[in-house]
Amino acid sequence: MRISSSSSSSSSPILTTIYRRLLLFNPFFVAQQQQQQQQLRCSPPLCFTQKRFSRSSSRFSSVAMAAVEKPRVVARKLLAESQEEGHGATVRRSIGRSELRSLDPFLLLDEFEVSPPAGFPDHPHRGFETVTYMLEGSFTHQDFAGHKGTIGPGDVQWMTAGRGIVHSEMPAGEGVQKGLQLWINLSSKDKMIEPKYQELQSKDISRAEKDGVEVRIIAGEAFGVRSPVYTRTPTMYMDFTVNPGAQLQQPIPENWNSFVYIIEGEGIFGSEDSPPVTSHHCLVLGPGDGLNVWNKSGSPLRFVLVGGQPLDEPVVQHGPFVMNTRAEIRQAMEDYYLGRNGFEKAKQWKSDSLTH
Ligand code: FJE
Ligand code: FE
């Protein structure tokens, strides 16, 4: 079940006042969804046992790939169209838009294209993780606890907001800075944990290659190579480049939800007779134990494959707060406004992006 909280959920006058002030001070709330909606479910039945994969750690191993016996096919195809977000920023949203509210445990996938002075100035998060993967250019983040850094092409910031983060995310260079931002929900037991960052520089991201396919392993395992990233909500995240004429078989745990987002080129996903799919499309995969991909075009195909174990919990989202109940959302808004329960530093703090 998923409920998107609306303004009518604030029952007492003080909470209504807090809510209105949040709306005034934080433009991020305005664009958020207002309707109660059923969560899209794509979990396959739990009728097969999970495969064991090779755990060889050699970087370019020639380990035999676990065969895909029950290939997943494309259950839904969505073109991510551009929309405005943050302050003048453009995102192509796939997961998180009204046609695909979420794909448990994933809440949002944005392909962002941002040139200064646009960006995502000071805003809070509670109850989930954000994973920012830079494709071109760089972004600087600053948070209310003094954490500051810049991620460049191929770098990843895996941020566990937990009980609370307030931060800004702004382009660091001139011109268009591009990347992907994925929001991964946290289970009820992890929603209020201490915030944590895992930052991976491009050079440190595990890679593997085999038969005309290269992969950068951000989370999980591909071709016998494992990423060091710790995923509190079990998740796999791979960036594949499939050369012309090459084919790929990638196992995906059977009970996980999974999707593909195409970055560049065109590819055939799921079954060999299906039509090729091009960039900016998100493909929700149906049940099965893995994915088959073919590149029958004349240029390289680049896409990310993401999978995660569904949490199967109620989701109540209000903008940047994602909790299990309406009462927890009201608590999050109150904590943010009053500077409590993890938001203590929110009251005094302003990023450079607002003072420059
Ligand atoms: C946010 C609207 C937003 N996609 N992609 C509402 F835009 C945001 C937000 C982002 C974001 C940031 C980056 Cl660096 C990349 C993004 C949305 O910051 F958090 C809410 N609540
Ligand atoms: Fe953010």
mmCIF file with all atom_site columns, all heavy atoms in Angstrom, residues 48-63:
data_model
loop_
_atom_site.group_PDB
_atom_site.id
_atom_site.type_symbol
_atom_site.label_atom_id
_atom_site.label_alt_id
_atom_site.label_comp_id
_atom_site.label_asym_id
_atom_site.label_entity_id
_atom_site.label_seq_id
_atom_site.pdbx_PDB_ins_code
_atom_site.Cartn_x
_atom_site.Cartn_y
_atom_site.Cartn_z
_atom_site.occupancy
_atom_site.B_iso_or_equiv
_atom_site.pdbx_formal_charge
_atom_site.auth_seq_id
_atom_site.auth_comp_id
_atom_site.auth_asym_id
_atom_site.auth_atom_id
_atom_site.pdbx_PDB_model_num
ATOM 1   N N   . PHE A 1 48 ? 10.025 -20.234 -6.779  1.00 0.00 ? 48 PHE A N   1
ATOM 2   C CA  . PHE A 1 48 ? 11.268 -20.895 -7.182  1.00 0.00 ? 48 PHE A CA  1
ATOM 3   C C   . PHE A 1 48 ? 12.352 -20.610 -6.142  1.00 0.00 ? 48 PHE A C   1
ATOM 4   O O   . PHE A 1 48 ? 12.367 -19.558 -5.531  1.00 0.00 ? 48 PHE A O   1
ATOM 5   C CB  . PHE A 1 48 ? 11.747 -20.360 -8.532  1.00 0.00 ? 48 PHE A CB  1
ATOM 6   C CG  . PHE A 1 48 ? 10.713 -20.449 -9.604  1.00 0.00 ? 48 PHE A CG  1
ATOM 7   C CD1 . PHE A 1 48 ? 10.160 -19.300 -10.132 1.00 0.00 ? 48 PHE A CD1 1
ATOM 8   C CD2 . PHE A 1 48 ? 10.281 -21.678 -10.080 1.00 0.00 ? 48 PHE A CD2 1
ATOM 9   C CE1 . PHE A 1 48 ? 9.187  -19.365 -11.123 1.00 0.00 ? 48 PHE A CE1 1
ATOM 10  C CE2 . PHE A 1 48 ? 9.319  -21.749 -11.064 1.00 0.00 ? 48 PHE A CE2 1
ATOM 11  C CZ  . PHE A 1 48 ? 8.763  -20.594 -11.592 1.00 0.00 ? 48 PHE A CZ  1
ATOM 12  N N   . THR A 1 49 ? 13.249 -21.518 -6.000  1.00 0.00 ? 49 THR A N   1
ATOM 13  C CA  . THR A 1 49 ? 14.352 -21.262 -5.075  1.00 0.00 ? 49 THR A CA  1
ATOM 14  C C   . THR A 1 49 ? 15.365 -20.340 -5.741  1.00 0.00 ? 49 THR A C   1
ATOM 15  O O   . THR A 1 49 ? 15.500 -20.334 -6.949  1.00 0.00 ? 49 THR A O   1
ATOM 16  C CB  . THR A 1 49 ? 15.075 -22.564 -4.668  1.00 0.00 ? 49 THR A CB  1
ATOM 17  O OG1 . THR A 1 49 ? 15.404 -23.241 -5.868  1.00 0.00 ? 49 THR A OG1 1
ATOM 18  C CG2 . THR A 1 49 ? 14.209 -23.410 -3.771  1.00 0.00 ? 49 THR A CG2 1
ATOM 19  N N   . GLN A 1 50 ? 16.061 -19.578 -4.889  1.00 0.00 ? 50 GLN A N   1
ATOM 20  C CA  . GLN A 1 50 ? 17.003 -18.599 -5.427  1.00 0.00 ? 50 GLN A CA  1
ATOM 21  C C   . GLN A 1 50 ? 18.293 -19.272 -5.864  1.00 0.00 ? 50 GLN A C   1
ATOM 22  O O   . GLN A 1 50 ? 18.773 -20.188 -5.231  1.00 0.00 ? 50 GLN A O   1
ATOM 23  C CB  . GLN A 1 50 ? 17.300 -17.587 -4.333  1.00 0.00 ? 50 GLN A CB  1
ATOM 24  C CG  . GLN A 1 50 ? 17.669 -16.252 -4.892  1.00 0.00 ? 50 GLN A CG  1
ATOM 25  C CD  . GLN A 1 50 ? 17.494 -15.216 -3.804  1.00 0.00 ? 50 GLN A CD  1
ATOM 26  O OE1 . GLN A 1 50 ? 16.399 -15.042 -3.270  1.00 0.00 ? 50 GLN A OE1 1
ATOM 27  N NE2 . GLN A 1 50 ? 18.569 -14.591 -3.444  1.00 0.00 ? 50 GLN A NE2 1
ATOM 28  N N   . LYS A 1 51 ? 18.824 -18.776 -6.972  1.00 0.00 ? 51 LYS A N   1
ATOM 29  C CA  . LYS A 1 51 ? 20.071 -19.344 -7.490  1.00 0.00 ? 51 LYS A CA  1
ATOM 30  C C   . LYS A 1 51 ? 21.274 -18.915 -6.656  1.00 0.00 ? 51 LYS A C   1
ATOM 31  O O   . LYS A 1 51 ? 21.276 -17.842 -6.077  1.00 0.00 ? 51 LYS A O   1
ATOM 32  C CB  . LYS A 1 51 ? 20.285 -18.759 -8.874  1.00 0.00 ? 51 LYS A CB  1
ATOM 33  C CG  . LYS A 1 51 ? 20.341 -19.784 -9.932  1.00 0.00 ? 51 LYS A CG  1
ATOM 34  C CD  . LYS A 1 51 ? 20.782 -19.141 -11.216 1.00 0.00 ? 51 LYS A CD  1
ATOM 35  C CE  . LYS A 1 51 ? 20.274 -19.938 -12.352 1.00 0.00 ? 51 LYS A CE  1
ATOM 36  N NZ  . LYS A 1 51 ? 18.849 -20.060 -12.388 1.00 0.00 ? 51 LYS A NZ  1
ATOM 37  N N   . ARG A 1 52 ? 22.279 -19.716 -6.638  1.00 0.00 ? 52 ARG A N   1
ATOM 38  C CA  . ARG A 1 52 ? 23.552 -19.312 -6.020  1.00 0.00 ? 52 ARG A CA  1
ATOM 39  C C   . ARG A 1 52 ? 24.476 -18.840 -7.132  1.00 0.00 ? 52 ARG A C   1
ATOM 40  O O   . ARG A 1 52 ? 24.640 -19.505 -8.133  1.00 0.00 ? 52 ARG A O   1
ATOM 41  C CB  . ARG A 1 52 ? 24.226 -20.496 -5.309  1.00 0.00 ? 52 ARG A CB  1
ATOM 42  C CG  . ARG A 1 52 ? 23.481 -20.959 -4.120  1.00 0.00 ? 52 ARG A CG  1
ATOM 43  C CD  . ARG A 1 52 ? 24.346 -20.783 -2.879  1.00 0.00 ? 52 ARG A CD  1
ATOM 44  N NE  . ARG A 1 52 ? 23.614 -20.111 -1.855  1.00 0.00 ? 52 ARG A NE  1
ATOM 45  C CZ  . ARG A 1 52 ? 23.879 -18.867 -1.460  1.00 0.00 ? 52 ARG A CZ  1
ATOM 46  N NH1 . ARG A 1 52 ? 24.847 -18.176 -1.987  1.00 0.00 ? 52 ARG A NH1 1
ATOM 47  N NH2 . ARG A 1 52 ? 23.196 -18.305 -0.514  1.00 0.00 ? 52 ARG A NH2 1
ATOM 48  N N   . PHE A 1 53 ? 25.060 -17.699 -6.943  1.00 0.00 ? 53 PHE A N   1
ATOM 49  C CA  . PHE A 1 53 ? 25.942 -17.173 -7.973  1.00 0.00 ? 53 PHE A CA  1
ATOM 50  C C   . PHE A 1 53 ? 27.402 -17.387 -7.571  1.00 0.00 ? 53 PHE A C   1
ATOM 51  O O   . PHE A 1 53 ? 27.720 -17.495 -6.399  1.00 0.00 ? 53 PHE A O   1
ATOM 52  C CB  . PHE A 1 53 ? 25.720 -15.677 -8.189  1.00 0.00 ? 53 PHE A CB  1
ATOM 53  C CG  . PHE A 1 53 ? 24.285 -15.360 -8.450  1.00 0.00 ? 53 PHE A CG  1
ATOM 54  C CD1 . PHE A 1 53 ? 23.653 -14.339 -7.768  1.00 0.00 ? 53 PHE A CD1 1
ATOM 55  C CD2 . PHE A 1 53 ? 23.574 -16.094 -9.372  1.00 0.00 ? 53 PHE A CD2 1
ATOM 56  C CE1 . PHE A 1 53 ? 22.321 -14.062 -8.011  1.00 0.00 ? 53 PHE A CE1 1
ATOM 57  C CE2 . PHE A 1 53 ? 22.249 -15.814 -9.624  1.00 0.00 ? 53 PHE A CE2 1
ATOM 58  C CZ  . PHE A 1 53 ? 21.625 -14.800 -8.937  1.00 0.00 ? 53 PHE A CZ  1
ATOM 59  N N   . SER A 1 54 ? 28.250 -17.400 -8.561  1.00 0.00 ? 54 SER A N   1
ATOM 60  C CA  . SER A 1 54 ? 29.681 -17.497 -8.298  1.00 0.00 ? 54 SER A CA  1
ATOM 61  C C   . SER A 1 54 ? 30.133 -16.281 -7.498  1.00 0.00 ? 54 SER A C   1
ATOM 62  O O   . SER A 1 54 ? 29.692 -15.165 -7.745  1.00 0.00 ? 54 SER A O   1
ATOM 63  C CB  . SER A 1 54 ? 30.427 -17.526 -9.622  1.00 0.00 ? 54 SER A CB  1
ATOM 64  O OG  . SER A 1 54 ? 31.754 -17.146 -9.412  1.00 0.00 ? 54 SER A OG  1
ATOM 65  N N   . ARG A 1 55 ? 31.017 -16.441 -6.538  1.00 0.00 ? 55 ARG A N   1
ATOM 66  C CA  . ARG A 1 55 ? 31.468 -15.314 -5.730  1.00 0.00 ? 55 ARG A CA  1
ATOM 67  C C   . ARG A 1 55 ? 32.952 -15.045 -5.951  1.00 0.00 ? 55 ARG A C   1
ATOM 68  O O   . ARG A 1 55 ? 33.625 -14.484 -5.088  1.00 0.00 ? 55 ARG A O   1
ATOM 69  C CB  . ARG A 1 55 ? 31.182 -15.573 -4.253  1.00 0.00 ? 55 ARG A CB  1
ATOM 70  C CG  . ARG A 1 55 ? 29.696 -15.580 -3.973  1.00 0.00 ? 55 ARG A CG  1
ATOM 71  C CD  . ARG A 1 55 ? 29.442 -15.514 -2.506  1.00 0.00 ? 55 ARG A CD  1
ATOM 72  N NE  . ARG A 1 55 ? 28.496 -14.458 -2.230  1.00 0.00 ? 55 ARG A NE  1
ATOM 73  C CZ  . ARG A 1 55 ? 28.689 -13.530 -1.302  1.00 0.00 ? 55 ARG A CZ  1
ATOM 74  N NH1 . ARG A 1 55 ? 29.781 -13.494 -0.591  1.00 0.00 ? 55 ARG A NH1 1
ATOM 75  N NH2 . ARG A 1 55 ? 27.774 -12.607 -1.084  1.00 0.00 ? 55 ARG A NH2 1
ATOM 76  N N   . SER A 1 56 ? 33.457 -15.453 -7.111  1.00 0.00 ? 56 SER A N   1
ATOM 77  C CA  . SER A 1 56 ? 34.857 -15.191 -7.410  1.00 0.00 ? 56 SER A CA  1
ATOM 78  C C   . SER A 1 56 ? 35.122 -13.700 -7.328  1.00 0.00 ? 56 SER A C   1
ATOM 79  O O   . SER A 1 56 ? 34.305 -12.895 -7.735  1.00 0.00 ? 56 SER A O   1
ATOM 80  C CB  . SER A 1 56 ? 35.187 -15.673 -8.823  1.00 0.00 ? 56 SER A CB  1
ATOM 81  O OG  . SER A 1 56 ? 36.359 -15.056 -9.272  1.00 0.00 ? 56 SER A OG  1
ATOM 82  N N   . SER A 1 57 ? 36.274 -13.318 -6.778  1.00 0.00 ? 57 SER A N   1
ATOM 83  C CA  . SER A 1 57 ? 36.530 -11.890 -6.611  1.00 0.00 ? 57 SER A CA  1
ATOM 84  C C   . SER A 1 57 ? 37.488 -11.346 -7.671  1.00 0.00 ? 57 SER A C   1
ATOM 85  O O   . SER A 1 57 ? 37.805 -10.178 -7.654  1.00 0.00 ? 57 SER A O   1
ATOM 86  C CB  . SER A 1 57 ? 37.090 -11.630 -5.215  1.00 0.00 ? 57 SER A CB  1
ATOM 87  O OG  . SER A 1 57 ? 38.268 -12.374 -5.075  1.00 0.00 ? 57 SER A OG  1
ATOM 88  N N   . SER A 1 58 ? 37.952 -12.196 -8.579  1.00 0.00 ? 58 SER A N   1
ATOM 89  C CA  . SER A 1 58 ? 38.908 -11.673 -9.560  1.00 0.00 ? 58 SER A CA  1
ATOM 90  C C   . SER A 1 58 ? 38.210 -10.664 -10.462 1.00 0.00 ? 58 SER A C   1
ATOM 91  O O   . SER A 1 58 ? 37.055 -10.827 -10.846 1.00 0.00 ? 58 SER A O   1
ATOM 92  C CB  . SER A 1 58 ? 39.502 -12.801 -10.387 1.00 0.00 ? 58 SER A CB  1
ATOM 93  O OG  . SER A 1 58 ? 38.643 -13.160 -11.413 1.00 0.00 ? 58 SER A OG  1
ATOM 94  N N   . ARG A 1 59 ? 38.898 -9.570  -10.768 1.00 0.00 ? 59 ARG A N   1
ATOM 95  C CA  . ARG A 1 59 ? 38.237 -8.431  -11.427 1.00 0.00 ? 59 ARG A CA  1
ATOM 96  C C   . ARG A 1 59 ? 37.801 -8.746  -12.852 1.00 0.00 ? 59 ARG A C   1
ATOM 97  O O   . ARG A 1 59 ? 36.787 -8.296  -13.302 1.00 0.00 ? 59 ARG A O   1
ATOM 98  C CB  . ARG A 1 59 ? 39.148 -7.217  -11.398 1.00 0.00 ? 59 ARG A CB  1
ATOM 99  C CG  . ARG A 1 59 ? 39.111 -6.519  -10.065 1.00 0.00 ? 59 ARG A CG  1
ATOM 100 C CD  . ARG A 1 59 ? 40.184 -5.482  -10.019 1.00 0.00 ? 59 ARG A CD  1
ATOM 101 N NE  . ARG A 1 59 ? 39.868 -4.347  -10.875 1.00 0.00 ? 59 ARG A NE  1
ATOM 102 C CZ  . ARG A 1 59 ? 39.171 -3.291  -10.488 1.00 0.00 ? 59 ARG A CZ  1
ATOM 103 N NH1 . ARG A 1 59 ? 38.686 -3.238  -9.290  1.00 0.00 ? 59 ARG A NH1 1
ATOM 104 N NH2 . ARG A 1 59 ? 38.949 -2.289  -11.308 1.00 0.00 ? 59 ARG A NH2 1
ATOM 105 N N   . PHE A 1 60 ? 38.606 -9.473  -13.583 1.00 0.00 ? 60 PHE A N   1
ATOM 106 C CA  . PHE A 1 60 ? 38.229 -9.795  -14.961 1.00 0.00 ? 60 PHE A CA  1
ATOM 107 C C   . PHE A 1 60 ? 38.173 -11.305 -15.137 1.00 0.00 ? 60 PHE A C   1
ATOM 108 O O   . PHE A 1 60 ? 38.810 -11.875 -16.002 1.00 0.00 ? 60 PHE A O   1
ATOM 109 C CB  . PHE A 1 60 ? 39.176 -9.142  -15.968 1.00 0.00 ? 60 PHE A CB  1
ATOM 110 C CG  . PHE A 1 60 ? 39.119 -7.656  -15.923 1.00 0.00 ? 60 PHE A CG  1
ATOM 111 C CD1 . PHE A 1 60 ? 40.077 -6.924  -15.255 1.00 0.00 ? 60 PHE A CD1 1
ATOM 112 C CD2 . PHE A 1 60 ? 38.064 -6.988  -16.530 1.00 0.00 ? 60 PHE A CD2 1
ATOM 113 C CE1 . PHE A 1 60 ? 39.994 -5.549  -15.205 1.00 0.00 ? 60 PHE A CE1 1
ATOM 114 C CE2 . PHE A 1 60 ? 37.975 -5.606  -16.482 1.00 0.00 ? 60 PHE A CE2 1
ATOM 115 C CZ  . PHE A 1 60 ? 38.953 -4.886  -15.808 1.00 0.00 ? 60 PHE A CZ  1
ATOM 116 N N   . SER A 1 61 ? 37.439 -11.950 -14.280 1.00 0.00 ? 61 SER A N   1
ATOM 117 C CA  . SER A 1 61 ? 37.414 -13.409 -14.281 1.00 0.00 ? 61 SER A CA  1
ATOM 118 C C   . SER A 1 61 ? 36.644 -13.948 -15.481 1.00 0.00 ? 61 SER A C   1
ATOM 119 O O   . SER A 1 61 ? 35.842 -13.262 -16.095 1.00 0.00 ? 61 SER A O   1
ATOM 120 C CB  . SER A 1 61 ? 36.753 -13.902 -13.005 1.00 0.00 ? 61 SER A CB  1
ATOM 121 O OG  . SER A 1 61 ? 35.417 -13.503 -13.010 1.00 0.00 ? 61 SER A OG  1
ATOM 122 N N   . SER A 1 62 ? 36.941 -15.195 -15.815 1.00 0.00 ? 62 SER A N   1
ATOM 123 C CA  . SER A 1 62 ? 36.205 -15.835 -16.904 1.00 0.00 ? 62 SER A CA  1
ATOM 124 C C   . SER A 1 62 ? 35.249 -16.880 -16.338 1.00 0.00 ? 62 SER A C   1
ATOM 125 O O   . SER A 1 62 ? 35.029 -17.926 -16.917 1.00 0.00 ? 62 SER A O   1
ATOM 126 C CB  . SER A 1 62 ? 37.184 -16.491 -17.874 1.00 0.00 ? 62 SER A CB  1
ATOM 127 O OG  . SER A 1 62 ? 37.960 -17.427 -17.159 1.00 0.00 ? 62 SER A OG  1
ATOM 128 N N   . VAL A 1 63 ? 34.716 -16.567 -15.153 1.00 0.00 ? 63 VAL A N   1
ATOM 129 C CA  . VAL A 1 63 ? 33.772 -17.460 -14.490 1.00 0.00 ? 63 VAL A CA  1
ATOM 130 C C   . VAL A 1 63 ? 32.560 -17.683 -15.391 1.00 0.00 ? 63 VAL A C   1
ATOM 131 O O   . VAL A 1 63 ? 32.047 -16.742 -15.985 1.00 0.00 ? 63 VAL A O   1
ATOM 132 C CB  . VAL A 1 63 ? 33.275 -16.789 -13.183 1.00 0.00 ? 63 VAL A CB  1
ATOM 133 C CG1 . VAL A 1 63 ? 32.229 -17.641 -12.490 1.00 0.00 ? 63 VAL A CG1 1
ATOM 134 C CG2 . VAL A 1 63 ? 34.443 -16.511 -12.271 1.00 0.00 ? 63 VAL A CG2 1
#
